Amino acid sequence: MRSDSVKTGTQQAPHRSLFNALGYTEEERKRPLIGIVNSYNEIVPGHMNLDKITEAVKMGVAMAGGTPVVFPAIAVCDGIAMGHVGMKYSLVTRDLIADSTECMVMAHGFDGLVCIPNCDKNVPGLLMAAARVNIPTIFVSGGPMLAGHVHGQKRSLSSMFEAVGSVAAGSMTMEELSEFEEKTCPTCGSCSGMYTANSMNCLTEALGMGLKGNGTIPAVYSERIRLAKHAGMKIMELVKKDIRPRDIMTEKAFMNALTVDMALGCSTNSMLHLPAIAHEAGVELNLDIANELSAKTPNLCHLAPAGPTYMEDLNEAGGVYAVMNELTKKDLLYLDLPTVTGKTVGENIGGTVNRNPEVIRPIENPYSQTGGIAVLKGNLAPDSGVVKRSAVVPEMMVHEGPARVFDCEEDAIDAIKSGKIVAGDVVVIRYEGPKGGPGMREMLNPTSAIAGMGLGSSVALITDGRFSGASRGASIGHVSPEAAVGGPIALVQEGDIISINIPENTLSVKVTEEELARRREDWQPREPQITTGYLSRYREMVTSGNRGAILEIPHNKE
């Protein structure tokens, strides 16, 4: 066993004395040591139930003959961090989570690992760690929140942010806003639409790293506790058979995940996280493949914010496996790949029934013949920009309009809420990329303000930052290269005409190459906004959004 390095032999007598200090018995020491990464805290609604999930996992591990050892991972609540300096500290935690988990695993000689994430950065951060340390690992999330109910309609966090815009537009009263505030987020769990957390938990199933229901069983269901016990038992089987993350997270598995992403209509943040996870697994995931897969993958789900259905509805309809089973009807998945269940993808999903064709459209009757995400390119985004196509209204799929240029999110929000943005405009928010922010903030506040003020079908938003999975509309993020490194988005001027063509995957500014070259000569790098602490180190090491904002050691400067 790998853990023999910390518990077996004469040289390990000091180590055993420390296990004694921890209260471990000799019987426990002789069993495989299973690390359990518990992301529990008291500030993230999606994590407040993880203590219960952890106890269930511990029970499962012990029942199957292992010794569970719990250690923590941090987590930021994106909703609470939204719209202020806190959002600079969201994406960057993905790497802290991966690094700290690597440290704990390598330092203590665990034989296996159970990862218990839930919200946005914990899932990819722990998947990155799993690929990096490559010991037998299984995932079990905390599960999604149930939808809220206001005036007889299901609601979610995106409804809450848009309600703020409606108040600014005068179409909602403060009393109505207060009712939304009380009823929109009724339970623990990751917010109830197909936002980033739920996207990544569903894609964990598609990758083969979680059991059936990992992404969809609601947080408050007792079924989630049973799932956690089964995950605890299953890790012992993975340890015995020495099935490791890199055996599962192969190039073909990432193709499956991207395909399921397109069918579900996942958050655009998946276009950051999947390449970063793949990189740790030794797989280079070029986003050009996303459009190739999208072109042949029908979009089968319109979960909030794209439509009126929620994670609980997807769960009742058959969950991720039902979506995957629909995709097999057009031979869109690799079925012979291994998974943490001990069975292949095909064996896992075979016979799964789609119980609600209104929630999961049959593949013969999709919402669209193309997938939920599009990668755009053009002279404004030479490397890429990303849009959640399934959440864009038809009239905005092709759009031209004047640029309204802002160098930070706050200035854009002020302009939107004060009525300075009008139908037809293209709001450009720059210097919010991985380096420029630093930290690549989500832009849920401006997209929600646009939607709440009734401009969602007439105003586009483009940024080198990113969007929450709760954003909807013609919201194009991850524009690369970013402004901070002199990308073309830094050269856009007020009033320039910007052309968006989502069906043709293009994003351009109608300015001649000669004029852009002249502007580039005049451009000066912007002074860093933060020069101390973790964010300053992150800024030096982070790569572009089109590469997943992974960290690399910068080249030595002459």
Side-chain angles (χ1 to χ4, degrees), residues 391-428:
V392 179
V393 294
E395 53 266 41
M396 290 299 290
M397 296 295 278
V398 178
H399 179 76
E400 284 192 0
R404 307 298 308 279
V405 183
F406 304 93
D407 286 349
C408 68
E409 177 189 7
E410 288 83 356
D411 290 349
I413 292 171
D414 288 344
I416 295 164
K417 290 187 175 179
S418 61
K420 294 178 182 177
I421 303 301
V422 299
D425 284 348
V426 179
V427 176
V428 177

Side-chain angles (χ1 to χ4, degrees), residues 212 313-319 322 326 352-360:
K212 180 181 180 181
D313 302 313
L314 178 60
N315 187 62
E316 294 301 317
E326 287 290 342
T352 307
V353 176
N354 178 358
R355 300 190 189 95
N356 190 337
E358 295 303 313
V359 175
I360 304 171

Side-chain angles (χ1 to χ4, degrees), residues 343-356:
K343 300 177 181 178
T344 65
V345 171
E347 289 170 332
N348 285 340
I349 66 178
T352 307
V353 176
N354 178 358
R355 300 190 189 95
N356 190 337

Side-chain angles (χ1 to χ4, degrees), residues 161-390:
F161 277 90
E162 290 177 14
V164 175
S166 297
V167 170
S171 58
M172 179 179 284
T173 66
M174 288 299 296
E175 289 77 14
E176 290 171 318
L177 180 67
S178 180
E179 184 177 5
F180 268 73
E181 188 178 327
E182 292 293 328
K183 297 179 178 179
T184 296
C185 297
T187 71
C188 63
S190 47
C191 296
S192 56
M194 187 54 79
Y195 310 147
T196 305
N198 292 325
S199 294
M200 294 310 301
N201 282 325
C202 287
L203 294 181
T204 299
E205 280 189 64
L207 275 171
M209 290 297 294
L211 300 179
K212 180 181 180 181
N214 177 72
T216 60
I217 298 170
V220 295
Y221 283 15
S222 297
E223 185 182 359
R224 172 74 46 185
I225 300 295
R226 299 198 300 273
L227 180 75
K229 290 177 181 177
H230 283 127
M233 290 185 273
K234 186 61 69 172
I235 188 60
M236 299 308 299
E237 181 181 323
L238 295 172
V239 169
K240 183 177 180 180
K241 295 180 178 178
D242 197 28
I243 298 173
R244 305 184 183 209
R246 291 195 183 195
D247 299 327
I248 295 169
M249 290 194 284
T250 61
E251 183 176 1
K252 288 181 178 179
F254 283 101
M255 295 303 103
N256 277 357
L258 275 171
T259 300
V260 174
D261 189 336
M262 296 301 169
L264 281 172
C266 290
S267 165
T268 51
N269 282 313
S270 63
M271 295 294 104
L272 281 176
H273 299 324
L274 287 175
I277 299 161
H279 178 74
E280 296 288 353
V283 175
E284 291 306 311
L285 197 61
N286 189 322
L287 283 189
D288 290 340
I289 195 69
N291 282 343
E292 293 178 30
L293 292 175
S294 180
K296 61 183 181 181
T297 305
N299 177 227
L300 306 181
C301 299
H302 268 193
L303 296 149
T309 55
Y310 296 82
M311 294 305 297
E312 62 201 67
D313 302 313
L314 178 60
N315 187 62
E316 294 301 317
V320 175
Y321 280 13
V323 174
M324 294 176 75
N325 202 40
E326 287 290 342
L327 294 173
T328 64
K329 296 176 182 178
K330 288 195 174 181
D331 297 322
L332 294 174
L333 297 176
Y334 295 100
L335 300 179
D336 59 347
L337 308 183
T339 71
V340 292
T341 67
K343 300 177 181 178
T344 65
V345 171
E347 289 170 332
N348 285 340
I349 66 178
T352 307
V353 176
N354 178 358
R355 300 190 189 95
N356 190 337
E358 295 303 313
V359 175
I360 304 171
R361 288 278 186 93
I363 202 162
E364 302 83 9
N365 180 35
Y367 282 101
S368 66
Q369 292 294 338
T370 52
I373 290 178
V375 176
L376 312 183
K377 289 190 176 184
N379 69 348
L380 186 53
D383 291 337
S384 69
V386 179
V387 63
K388 188 170 183 174
R389 173 166 41 195
S390 60

Side-chain angles (χ1 to χ4, degrees), residues 41 84 93 99 116 146 181 205 248 264 276 307 326 383 411 414 421 464 498 503 511-512:
N41 64 42
H84 57 94
T93 64
D99 291 349
I116 308 176
L146 293 178
E181 188 178 327
E205 280 189 64
I248 295 169
L264 281 172
E326 287 290 342
D383 291 337
D411 290 349
D414 288 344
I421 303 301
D464 53 7
I498 291 178
V511 174
T512 65

